[in-house]
Amino acid sequence: MIPFNRPHLTGKELPNIQDAVATGKLSGNGKYTQLCHRYFQERYGFRHCLLTHSCTGALEMAALLLDIREGDEVIMPAFTFVSTSNAFVLRGARIVFADSRPDHPNMDESSLEHLITDRTRAIVVVHYGGAAVDMRAVMALAEKHGLLVVEDAAQAIDAWFKPEGARAAPLGGIGHLAAFSFHETKNIIAGEGGMLVVNDERFVARSEIIWEKGTNRSAFFRGQIDKYGWVDVGSSFLPSEVTAAFLYAQLMELEGIQARRIAIWQAYDERLSALQHRGWFTTPTLPAAATNNAHVYYLLCRDLETRTRLIQGLKEAGIMAVFHYQGLHRSPFYADRHDGRLLPHCDAYSDRLVRLPLFADLSLQEVERICATIEQLMG
Ligand SMILES: *Cc1c(COP(=O)(O)O)cnc(C)c1O
C-alpha cells in the first residue's frame, strides 16, 4: 500500500516536547512558540507572527482583524478549501467567488476587477500548491480600490513570488495578513497547527489581543502595562507549547524536508511528462513568477471519466490518489447564496485534477511504481 500522505517525523519532536514539559509551562506563548515566531520572522522577514491552532483559526483571526461585517463582500477563488470562505461567512460576509486561470488552478487575477463593488472589503488569495498568485497585480488592484488583502498561504511555506526585474518576496509576506497551515497533510506539520502573519503594522497590536481572548495579556507579560483585562473581542487561537515544540522540531529540518519533496516532485514530473503525448493527462505548469515548494503533484486528466478510471486503477494497485476541490460556488452550503456566475475553469479543475502521493518519506522506487502503474493504466 502507498498511502496518499504519511506524516514525516524528524526524530526531534519528542525530545522537544519532553523539554517543553520540563520547563513547566505547557499553555501557549512559551519558549517554543517564541522560537517558532522568531524562526519565521528571521527566515522570511515576516513583520509579526502568531502561531494558531490551525490555519482555519488564523483565517478567522484575519476576518476579525479586518472587521468584516454583515453584508461586506469578500472576493476569493471558488477553487479552495472551505476554511478560506467560512472564516468570512462567520462574520456575515457575502463571498464573491472568482474563477481559476485557464492554465493554473490559482484564481484568475485578470477577472478580479469586474467583481469589485462598493461593498467589497477584501481579496483573499490562495496560492494553490504553493504556487504564487500574481501578487503585484492583486496588491495594485487592492490599492486602487482601497481593499485589504489576505493570503491563504496554507500550502505555501517556503515559496516565493519572483516577478521579473523585482526582488523575490516570500509568500505570506506580501498581503496585509496571511495564514499558514501545519496540518499533517502540509509540508511542515504539527498535527493540527497554523500561523497568522501580520505584515501591516496597523494590525499588530490588535492581533495579539484577538489571539489572547480579547485581553491585552501579551503586552502585560512583556511588562508594557501593569494589569491586563478584557479590551476587545477575541478567542483562544493559541496552540499549546506541546504543539509548538513539535513544530519547532520540523522547522529545524525544513531545508531537508523541502529538498526531499522537490526531488520526488521532479522524479514524478520527468517520468510523467514523457507520457503526456498519449493525450490522457497533462502535467502541471507553474505561473511565471512562482517557485515550486513541492506541496502537491497533480495531473490534469482529459475528463472526469479518465480521472475516475485512473483513481480506481491506482487504488486496485494499492496506491491512494485523491482529487479536490469541489468548487465552493457549487457546494451544498453556498450554491443558493452564490450569485449564479458560471466558473468553468474552476469546474474543470474540480472534475479533472488528481493528486498523487507526495510525502518526504516516499521513496523514489515507490514513485517509479506509481508512474509505471499510471503508464499501464493510461496506455
Ligand atoms: C489546509 C488548508 C486550510 C486549512 O488548514 P487547517 O490548518 O487544517 O485549518 C485552509 N486553506 C487551504 C488552501 C488549505 O490547503
mmCIF file with all atom_site columns, all heavy atoms in Angstrom, residues 240-260:
data_model
loop_
_atom_site.group_PDB
_atom_site.id
_atom_site.type_symbol
_atom_site.label_atom_id
_atom_site.label_alt_id
_atom_site.label_comp_id
_atom_site.label_asym_id
_atom_site.label_entity_id
_atom_site.label_seq_id
_atom_site.pdbx_PDB_ins_code
_atom_site.Cartn_x
_atom_site.Cartn_y
_atom_site.Cartn_z
_atom_site.occupancy
_atom_site.B_iso_or_equiv
_atom_site.pdbx_formal_charge
_atom_site.auth_seq_id
_atom_site.auth_comp_id
_atom_site.auth_asym_id
_atom_site.auth_atom_id
_atom_site.pdbx_PDB_model_num
ATOM 1   N N   . SER A 1 240 ? -0.934 25.016 22.191 1.00 0.00 ? 240 SER A N   1
ATOM 2   C CA  . SER A 1 240 ? -0.160 24.804 23.421 1.00 0.00 ? 240 SER A CA  1
ATOM 3   C C   . SER A 1 240 ? 1.323  24.674 23.067 1.00 0.00 ? 240 SER A C   1
ATOM 4   O O   . SER A 1 240 ? 1.707  24.528 21.902 1.00 0.00 ? 240 SER A O   1
ATOM 5   C CB  . SER A 1 240 ? -0.650 23.559 24.148 1.00 0.00 ? 240 SER A CB  1
ATOM 6   O OG  . SER A 1 240 ? 0.015  22.419 23.657 1.00 0.00 ? 240 SER A OG  1
ATOM 7   N N   . GLU A 1 241 ? 2.152  24.706 24.077 1.00 0.00 ? 241 GLU A N   1
ATOM 8   C CA  . GLU A 1 241 ? 3.593  24.543 23.877 1.00 0.00 ? 241 GLU A CA  1
ATOM 9   C C   . GLU A 1 241 ? 3.936  23.149 23.331 1.00 0.00 ? 241 GLU A C   1
ATOM 10  O O   . GLU A 1 241 ? 4.974  22.959 22.706 1.00 0.00 ? 241 GLU A O   1
ATOM 11  C CB  . GLU A 1 241 ? 4.328  24.781 25.204 1.00 0.00 ? 241 GLU A CB  1
ATOM 12  C CG  . GLU A 1 241 ? 4.579  26.246 25.488 1.00 0.00 ? 241 GLU A CG  1
ATOM 13  C CD  . GLU A 1 241 ? 5.599  26.846 24.517 1.00 0.00 ? 241 GLU A CD  1
ATOM 14  O OE1 . GLU A 1 241 ? 6.788  26.526 24.590 1.00 0.00 ? 241 GLU A OE1 1
ATOM 15  O OE2 . GLU A 1 241 ? 5.185  27.647 23.654 1.00 0.00 ? 241 GLU A OE2 1
ATOM 16  N N   . VAL A 1 242 ? 3.070  22.171 23.576 1.00 0.00 ? 242 VAL A N   1
ATOM 17  C CA  . VAL A 1 242 ? 3.308  20.818 23.039 1.00 0.00 ? 242 VAL A CA  1
ATOM 18  C C   . VAL A 1 242 ? 3.319  20.888 21.512 1.00 0.00 ? 242 VAL A C   1
ATOM 19  O O   . VAL A 1 242 ? 4.212  20.355 20.843 1.00 0.00 ? 242 VAL A O   1
ATOM 20  C CB  . VAL A 1 242 ? 2.222  19.827 23.534 1.00 0.00 ? 242 VAL A CB  1
ATOM 21  C CG1 . VAL A 1 242 ? 2.428  18.452 22.924 1.00 0.00 ? 242 VAL A CG1 1
ATOM 22  C CG2 . VAL A 1 242 ? 2.227  19.755 25.058 1.00 0.00 ? 242 VAL A CG2 1
ATOM 23  N N   . THR A 1 243 ? 2.336  21.579 20.959 1.00 0.00 ? 243 THR A N   1
ATOM 24  C CA  . THR A 1 243 ? 2.251  21.750 19.509 1.00 0.00 ? 243 THR A CA  1
ATOM 25  C C   . THR A 1 243 ? 3.439  22.558 18.983 1.00 0.00 ? 243 THR A C   1
ATOM 26  O O   . THR A 1 243 ? 4.049  22.202 17.970 1.00 0.00 ? 243 THR A O   1
ATOM 27  C CB  . THR A 1 243 ? 0.934  22.473 19.148 1.00 0.00 ? 243 THR A CB  1
ATOM 28  O OG1 . THR A 1 243 ? -0.155 21.663 19.592 1.00 0.00 ? 243 THR A OG1 1
ATOM 29  C CG2 . THR A 1 243 ? 0.817  22.728 17.668 1.00 0.00 ? 243 THR A CG2 1
ATOM 30  N N   . ALA A 1 244 ? 3.769  23.631 19.687 1.00 0.00 ? 244 ALA A N   1
ATOM 31  C CA  . ALA A 1 244 ? 4.868  24.500 19.224 1.00 0.00 ? 244 ALA A CA  1
ATOM 32  C C   . ALA A 1 244 ? 6.205  23.759 19.278 1.00 0.00 ? 244 ALA A C   1
ATOM 33  O O   . ALA A 1 244 ? 7.052  23.928 18.393 1.00 0.00 ? 244 ALA A O   1
ATOM 34  C CB  . ALA A 1 244 ? 4.922  25.766 20.073 1.00 0.00 ? 244 ALA A CB  1
ATOM 35  N N   . ALA A 1 245 ? 6.390  22.911 20.306 1.00 0.00 ? 245 ALA A N   1
ATOM 36  C CA  . ALA A 1 245 ? 7.643  22.150 20.429 1.00 0.00 ? 245 ALA A CA  1
ATOM 37  C C   . ALA A 1 245 ? 7.770  21.163 19.277 1.00 0.00 ? 245 ALA A C   1
ATOM 38  O O   . ALA A 1 245 ? 8.848  20.973 18.699 1.00 0.00 ? 245 ALA A O   1
ATOM 39  C CB  . ALA A 1 245 ? 7.673  21.416 21.773 1.00 0.00 ? 245 ALA A CB  1
ATOM 40  N N   . PHE A 1 246 ? 6.667  20.551 18.911 1.00 0.00 ? 246 PHE A N   1
ATOM 41  C CA  . PHE A 1 246 ? 6.633  19.627 17.768 1.00 0.00 ? 246 PHE A CA  1
ATOM 42  C C   . PHE A 1 246 ? 6.973  20.389 16.489 1.00 0.00 ? 246 PHE A C   1
ATOM 43  O O   . PHE A 1 246 ? 7.827  19.986 15.695 1.00 0.00 ? 246 PHE A O   1
ATOM 44  C CB  . PHE A 1 246 ? 5.226  19.004 17.682 1.00 0.00 ? 246 PHE A CB  1
ATOM 45  C CG  . PHE A 1 246 ? 5.102  17.872 16.703 1.00 0.00 ? 246 PHE A CG  1
ATOM 46  C CD1 . PHE A 1 246 ? 4.888  16.574 17.152 1.00 0.00 ? 246 PHE A CD1 1
ATOM 47  C CD2 . PHE A 1 246 ? 5.179  18.084 15.328 1.00 0.00 ? 246 PHE A CD2 1
ATOM 48  C CE1 . PHE A 1 246 ? 4.768  15.517 16.257 1.00 0.00 ? 246 PHE A CE1 1
ATOM 49  C CE2 . PHE A 1 246 ? 5.055  17.039 14.429 1.00 0.00 ? 246 PHE A CE2 1
ATOM 50  C CZ  . PHE A 1 246 ? 4.844  15.754 14.892 1.00 0.00 ? 246 PHE A CZ  1
ATOM 51  N N   . LEU A 1 247 ? 6.313  21.523 16.306 1.00 0.00 ? 247 LEU A N   1
ATOM 52  C CA  . LEU A 1 247 ? 6.524  22.323 15.098 1.00 0.00 ? 247 LEU A CA  1
ATOM 53  C C   . LEU A 1 247 ? 7.972  22.787 14.977 1.00 0.00 ? 247 LEU A C   1
ATOM 54  O O   . LEU A 1 247 ? 8.556  22.779 13.895 1.00 0.00 ? 247 LEU A O   1
ATOM 55  C CB  . LEU A 1 247 ? 5.573  23.530 15.100 1.00 0.00 ? 247 LEU A CB  1
ATOM 56  C CG  . LEU A 1 247 ? 5.708  24.478 13.907 1.00 0.00 ? 247 LEU A CG  1
ATOM 57  C CD1 . LEU A 1 247 ? 5.366  23.773 12.600 1.00 0.00 ? 247 LEU A CD1 1
ATOM 58  C CD2 . LEU A 1 247 ? 4.807  25.706 14.089 1.00 0.00 ? 247 LEU A CD2 1
ATOM 59  N N   . TYR A 1 248 ? 8.554  23.178 16.094 1.00 0.00 ? 248 TYR A N   1
ATOM 60  C CA  . TYR A 1 248 ? 9.928  23.695 16.041 1.00 0.00 ? 248 TYR A CA  1
ATOM 61  C C   . TYR A 1 248 ? 10.895 22.617 15.563 1.00 0.00 ? 248 TYR A C   1
ATOM 62  O O   . TYR A 1 248 ? 11.833 22.895 14.805 1.00 0.00 ? 248 TYR A O   1
ATOM 63  C CB  . TYR A 1 248 ? 10.341 24.253 17.410 1.00 0.00 ? 248 TYR A CB  1
ATOM 64  C CG  . TYR A 1 248 ? 11.602 25.073 17.330 1.00 0.00 ? 248 TYR A CG  1
ATOM 65  C CD1 . TYR A 1 248 ? 11.659 26.222 16.542 1.00 0.00 ? 248 TYR A CD1 1
ATOM 66  C CD2 . TYR A 1 248 ? 12.761 24.685 18.017 1.00 0.00 ? 248 TYR A CD2 1
ATOM 67  C CE1 . TYR A 1 248 ? 12.829 26.974 16.441 1.00 0.00 ? 248 TYR A CE1 1
ATOM 68  C CE2 . TYR A 1 248 ? 13.928 25.424 17.924 1.00 0.00 ? 248 TYR A CE2 1
ATOM 69  C CZ  . TYR A 1 248 ? 13.949 26.572 17.140 1.00 0.00 ? 248 TYR A CZ  1
ATOM 70  O OH  . TYR A 1 248 ? 15.108 27.310 17.039 1.00 0.00 ? 248 TYR A OH  1
ATOM 71  N N   . ALA A 1 249 ? 10.654 21.363 15.976 1.00 0.00 ? 249 ALA A N   1
ATOM 72  C CA  . ALA A 1 249 ? 11.498 20.251 15.502 1.00 0.00 ? 249 ALA A CA  1
ATOM 73  C C   . ALA A 1 249 ? 11.420 20.156 13.976 1.00 0.00 ? 249 ALA A C   1
ATOM 74  O O   . ALA A 1 249 ? 12.428 19.942 13.295 1.00 0.00 ? 249 ALA A O   1
ATOM 75  C CB  . ALA A 1 249 ? 11.032 18.945 16.146 1.00 0.00 ? 249 ALA A CB  1
ATOM 76  N N   . GLN A 1 250 ? 10.236 20.347 13.441 1.00 0.00 ? 250 GLN A N   1
ATOM 77  C CA  . GLN A 1 250 ? 10.051 20.292 11.985 1.00 0.00 ? 250 GLN A CA  1
ATOM 78  C C   . GLN A 1 250 ? 10.767 21.453 11.286 1.00 0.00 ? 250 GLN A C   1
ATOM 79  O O   . GLN A 1 250 ? 11.385 21.280 10.242 1.00 0.00 ? 250 GLN A O   1
ATOM 80  C CB  . GLN A 1 250 ? 8.554  20.339 11.654 1.00 0.00 ? 250 GLN A CB  1
ATOM 81  C CG  . GLN A 1 250 ? 7.790  19.123 12.150 1.00 0.00 ? 250 GLN A CG  1
ATOM 82  C CD  . GLN A 1 250 ? 7.565  18.107 11.041 1.00 0.00 ? 250 GLN A CD  1
ATOM 83  O OE1 . GLN A 1 250 ? 7.237  18.481 9.927  1.00 0.00 ? 250 GLN A OE1 1
ATOM 84  N NE2 . GLN A 1 250 ? 7.761  16.836 11.352 1.00 0.00 ? 250 GLN A NE2 1
ATOM 85  N N   . LEU A 1 251 ? 10.644 22.633 11.880 1.00 0.00 ? 251 LEU A N   1
ATOM 86  C CA  . LEU A 1 251 ? 11.251 23.817 11.255 1.00 0.00 ? 251 LEU A CA  1
ATOM 87  C C   . LEU A 1 251 ? 12.765 23.685 11.174 1.00 0.00 ? 251 LEU A C   1
ATOM 88  O O   . LEU A 1 251 ? 13.391 24.138 10.205 1.00 0.00 ? 251 LEU A O   1
ATOM 89  C CB  . LEU A 1 251 ? 10.866 25.082 12.028 1.00 0.00 ? 251 LEU A CB  1
ATOM 90  C CG  . LEU A 1 251 ? 9.383  25.462 11.968 1.00 0.00 ? 251 LEU A CG  1
ATOM 91  C CD1 . LEU A 1 251 ? 9.103  26.669 12.852 1.00 0.00 ? 251 LEU A CD1 1
ATOM 92  C CD2 . LEU A 1 251 ? 8.946  25.739 10.527 1.00 0.00 ? 251 LEU A CD2 1
ATOM 93  N N   . MET A 1 252 ? 13.361 23.029 12.187 1.00 0.00 ? 252 MET A N   1
ATOM 94  C CA  . MET A 1 252 ? 14.813 22.841 12.182 1.00 0.00 ? 252 MET A CA  1
ATOM 95  C C   . MET A 1 252 ? 15.262 21.955 11.011 1.00 0.00 ? 252 MET A C   1
ATOM 96  O O   . MET A 1 252 ? 16.418 21.976 10.638 1.00 0.00 ? 252 MET A O   1
ATOM 97  C CB  . MET A 1 252 ? 15.275 22.233 13.512 1.00 0.00 ? 252 MET A CB  1
ATOM 98  C CG  . MET A 1 252 ? 15.131 23.150 14.719 1.00 0.00 ? 252 MET A CG  1
ATOM 99  S SD  . MET A 1 252 ? 16.125 24.666 14.588 1.00 0.00 ? 252 MET A SD  1
ATOM 100 C CE  . MET A 1 252 ? 14.929 25.822 13.914 1.00 0.00 ? 252 MET A CE  1
ATOM 101 N N   . GLU A 1 253 ? 14.331 21.185 10.442 1.00 0.00 ? 253 GLU A N   1
ATOM 102 C CA  . GLU A 1 253 ? 14.647 20.290 9.318  1.00 0.00 ? 253 GLU A CA  1
ATOM 103 C C   . GLU A 1 253 ? 14.012 20.767 8.015  1.00 0.00 ? 253 GLU A C   1
ATOM 104 O O   . GLU A 1 253 ? 13.911 20.001 7.056  1.00 0.00 ? 253 GLU A O   1
ATOM 105 C CB  . GLU A 1 253 ? 14.134 18.875 9.617  1.00 0.00 ? 253 GLU A CB  1
ATOM 106 C CG  . GLU A 1 253 ? 14.752 18.223 10.833 1.00 0.00 ? 253 GLU A CG  1
ATOM 107 C CD  . GLU A 1 253 ? 16.192 17.770 10.583 1.00 0.00 ? 253 GLU A CD  1
ATOM 108 O OE1 . GLU A 1 253 ? 16.474 17.375 9.441  1.00 0.00 ? 253 GLU A OE1 1
ATOM 109 O OE2 . GLU A 1 253 ? 17.004 17.850 11.514 1.00 0.00 ? 253 GLU A OE2 1
ATOM 110 N N   . LEU A 1 254 ? 13.545 22.009 7.994  1.00 0.00 ? 254 LEU A N   1
ATOM 111 C CA  . LEU A 1 254 ? 12.776 22.473 6.844  1.00 0.00 ? 254 LEU A CA  1
ATOM 112 C C   . LEU A 1 254 ? 13.517 22.282 5.514  1.00 0.00 ? 254 LEU A C   1
ATOM 113 O O   . LEU A 1 254 ? 12.951 21.797 4.539  1.00 0.00 ? 254 LEU A O   1
ATOM 114 C CB  . LEU A 1 254 ? 12.381 23.939 7.042  1.00 0.00 ? 254 LEU A CB  1
ATOM 115 C CG  . LEU A 1 254 ? 11.531 24.561 5.922  1.00 0.00 ? 254 LEU A CG  1
ATOM 116 C CD1 . LEU A 1 254 ? 10.447 25.457 6.511  1.00 0.00 ? 254 LEU A CD1 1
ATOM 117 C CD2 . LEU A 1 254 ? 12.367 25.378 4.949  1.00 0.00 ? 254 LEU A CD2 1
ATOM 118 N N   . GLU A 1 255 ? 14.795 22.601 5.499  1.00 0.00 ? 255 GLU A N   1
ATOM 119 C CA  . GLU A 1 255 ? 15.512 22.530 4.219  1.00 0.00 ? 255 GLU A CA  1
ATOM 120 C C   . GLU A 1 255 ? 15.621 21.095 3.714  1.00 0.00 ? 255 GLU A C   1
ATOM 121 O O   . GLU A 1 255 ? 15.466 20.836 2.514  1.00 0.00 ? 255 GLU A O   1
ATOM 122 C CB  . GLU A 1 255 ? 16.870 23.217 4.338  1.00 0.00 ? 255 GLU A CB  1
ATOM 123 C CG  . GLU A 1 255 ? 16.662 24.724 4.354  1.00 0.00 ? 255 GLU A CG  1
ATOM 124 C CD  . GLU A 1 255 ? 17.931 25.531 4.532  1.00 0.00 ? 255 GLU A CD  1
ATOM 125 O OE1 . GLU A 1 255 ? 19.037 24.992 4.295  1.00 0.00 ? 255 GLU A OE1 1
ATOM 126 O OE2 . GLU A 1 255 ? 17.802 26.708 4.913  1.00 0.00 ? 255 GLU A OE2 1
ATOM 127 N N   . GLY A 1 256 ? 15.872 20.170 4.630  1.00 0.00 ? 256 GLY A N   1
ATOM 128 C CA  . GLY A 1 256 ? 15.965 18.758 4.239  1.00 0.00 ? 256 GLY A CA  1
ATOM 129 C C   . GLY A 1 256 ? 14.628 18.227 3.747  1.00 0.00 ? 256 GLY A C   1
ATOM 130 O O   . GLY A 1 256 ? 14.564 17.501 2.743  1.00 0.00 ? 256 GLY A O   1
ATOM 131 N N   . ILE A 1 257 ? 13.573 18.587 4.452  1.00 0.00 ? 257 ILE A N   1
ATOM 132 C CA  . ILE A 1 257 ? 12.223 18.141 4.058  1.00 0.00 ? 257 ILE A CA  1
ATOM 133 C C   . ILE A 1 257 ? 11.884 18.688 2.675  1.00 0.00 ? 257 ILE A C   1
ATOM 134 O O   . ILE A 1 257 ? 11.408 17.965 1.799  1.00 0.00 ? 257 ILE A O   1
ATOM 135 C CB  . ILE A 1 257 ? 11.176 18.589 5.105  1.00 0.00 ? 257 ILE A CB  1
ATOM 136 C CG1 . ILE A 1 257 ? 11.379 17.824 6.420  1.00 0.00 ? 257 ILE A CG1 1
ATOM 137 C CG2 . ILE A 1 257 ? 9.751  18.405 4.572  1.00 0.00 ? 257 ILE A CG2 1
ATOM 138 C CD1 . ILE A 1 257 ? 10.577 18.353 7.609  1.00 0.00 ? 257 ILE A CD1 1
ATOM 139 N N   . GLN A 1 258 ? 12.176 19.955 2.467  1.00 0.00 ? 258 GLN A N   1
ATOM 140 C CA  . GLN A 1 258 ? 11.869 20.576 1.178  1.00 0.00 ? 258 GLN A CA  1
ATOM 141 C C   . GLN A 1 258 ? 12.693 19.942 0.055  1.00 0.00 ? 258 GLN A C   1
ATOM 142 O O   . GLN A 1 258 ? 12.171 19.700 -1.038 1.00 0.00 ? 258 GLN A O   1
ATOM 143 C CB  . GLN A 1 258 ? 12.122 22.087 1.240  1.00 0.00 ? 258 GLN A CB  1
ATOM 144 C CG  . GLN A 1 258 ? 11.041 22.842 1.999  1.00 0.00 ? 258 GLN A CG  1
ATOM 145 C CD  . GLN A 1 258 ? 9.684  22.629 1.360  1.00 0.00 ? 258 GLN A CD  1
ATOM 146 O OE1 . GLN A 1 258 ? 8.903  21.798 1.800  1.00 0.00 ? 258 GLN A OE1 1
ATOM 147 N NE2 . GLN A 1 258 ? 9.415  23.344 0.268  1.00 0.00 ? 258 GLN A NE2 1
ATOM 148 N N   . ALA A 1 259 ? 13.953 19.651 0.320  1.00 0.00 ? 259 ALA A N   1
ATOM 149 C CA  . ALA A 1 259 ? 14.809 19.041 -0.710 1.00 0.00 ? 259 ALA A CA  1
ATOM 150 C C   . ALA A 1 259 ? 14.253 17.674 -1.103 1.00 0.00 ? 259 ALA A C   1
ATOM 151 O O   . ALA A 1 259 ? 14.211 17.324 -2.288 1.00 0.00 ? 259 ALA A O   1
ATOM 152 C CB  . ALA A 1 259 ? 16.247 18.922 -0.197 1.00 0.00 ? 259 ALA A CB  1
ATOM 153 N N   . ARG A 1 260 ? 13.805 16.885 -0.112 1.00 0.00 ? 260 ARG A N   1
ATOM 154 C CA  . ARG A 1 260 ? 13.226 15.568 -0.392 1.00 0.00 ? 260 ARG A CA  1
ATOM 155 C C   . ARG A 1 260 ? 11.972 15.720 -1.255 1.00 0.00 ? 260 ARG A C   1
ATOM 156 O O   . ARG A 1 260 ? 11.793 15.028 -2.237 1.00 0.00 ? 260 ARG A O   1
ATOM 157 C CB  . ARG A 1 260 ? 12.815 14.866 0.911  1.00 0.00 ? 260 ARG A CB  1
ATOM 158 C CG  . ARG A 1 260 ? 13.896 14.115 1.624  1.00 0.00 ? 260 ARG A CG  1
ATOM 159 C CD  . ARG A 1 260 ? 14.369 12.901 0.850  1.00 0.00 ? 260 ARG A CD  1
ATOM 160 N NE  . ARG A 1 260 ? 13.286 12.035 0.380  1.00 0.00 ? 260 ARG A NE  1
ATOM 161 C CZ  . ARG A 1 260 ? 13.369 11.220 -0.653 1.00 0.00 ? 260 ARG A CZ  1
ATOM 162 N NH1 . ARG A 1 260 ? 14.477 11.155 -1.361 1.00 0.00 ? 260 ARG A NH1 1
ATOM 163 N NH2 . ARG A 1 260 ? 12.350 10.455 -0.996 1.00 0.00 ? 260 ARG A NH2 1
#
